[in-house]
Amino acid sequence: MRYDFSSDNSTGMAPAALDGLIAANGGAVPAYGKDEVTARAADQIRARLDADAEVRFVFSGTAANAVALSMLAWPFEAVLAHHAAHVCTDESGAPGFFGQGVGLIGLPGFSGKIDSRALNAALAEPEIAHRQPQAALSVTQCTEYGAVYTVDELRRLIEPVKARGMGVHMDGARLANAAAAGFDLTQIARLGVDVLVFGGAKAGANCAEALVLFDKSLVRRIDNRLKQAGQTASKARFLAGPMLGLLESEAWETGAAHANRMALRLAEGIATRTPYVLAHPVEANAVFVRMPDKAHARLLAAGWACYRFDDGSVRFVCSWATTEEVVDEVLTAIVGLD
């Protein structure tokens, strides 16, 4: 393999995250998240969000999303989300498993952004006993197609949902990339988001994600819920340590900004040097390209891993570790496909 552009999960830990893990390894500390490393990492997250919130570190984004949704909807209820959202397409029914039957209602929208008209139409549907009523909204920032919601776009989705007394979850697996693209993290709580998944793995941590609870009514027995779900780490400092390393060094931000720049460099090269068309605007760290199957196969055979996505386009994802040199090399390979 020359380079793996299929996902930002493919890279190792960022140096700052690895340093954080090594630093967390020293000495004996209280278990189950009662240690100073975990407390400091939680404080770093609260500072970025400018909000008072409960923070727990878990092993995966899927578990974080599923546990969050299980707190916002009863088993006989459903969650509204974009039909291409990770919770709908890539979590193997985890929201329904953790939520003991919680359903998902997929909504349309370009580049993974929920169309506000579609949302309002769904909200206007009458409740009947034969299908699960809507209880919450899930939004993804950045979206599965690399789009970044503006604050106003999110407000147009969240306000009508909150007006009906429903909860709001935000999947922030790539929240660092959204922040690097200009999204104001301090607006998340003010918009009315109840539960946020603050991404670490794709930003350069190990497998760590943070579950952030703005709605304090959800905190009751959260630790029991996570323990039952197998998401309570006895040595929690090894989840929090890499996150702390990223956040205290600001590598969480700088790594995402670098990834975004590499994606833009790749997109500009494809747009100007190849016959292929970009399938979605490039706003964060992902590039989606309309590419024939034969061309994609040749690229894979040459050692350039890239992923055929749900809409048929080929996805290239950049990370903190992607260099200008490797971007230029893959561009040369793409140019030479014809």
Side-chain angles (χ1 to χ4, degrees), residues 229-240:
Q231 290 296 313
T232 301
S234 58
K235 297 184 179 181
R237 56 177 161 157
F238 296 125
L239 289 179

Side-chain angles (χ1 to χ4, degrees), residues 18 34 41 67 91 102 105 107 131-132 143 150 177 186 193 224 243 266 275 281 310 327:
L18 194 56
K34 306 302 182 183
V67 169
E91 296 187 353
V102 167
I105 300 171
L107 298 173
R131 61 173 178 250
Q132 291 172 296
T143 75
T150 67
N177 301 98
T186 67
V193 173
N224 304 86
M243 293 282 279
L266 177 59
D310 297 347
V327 168

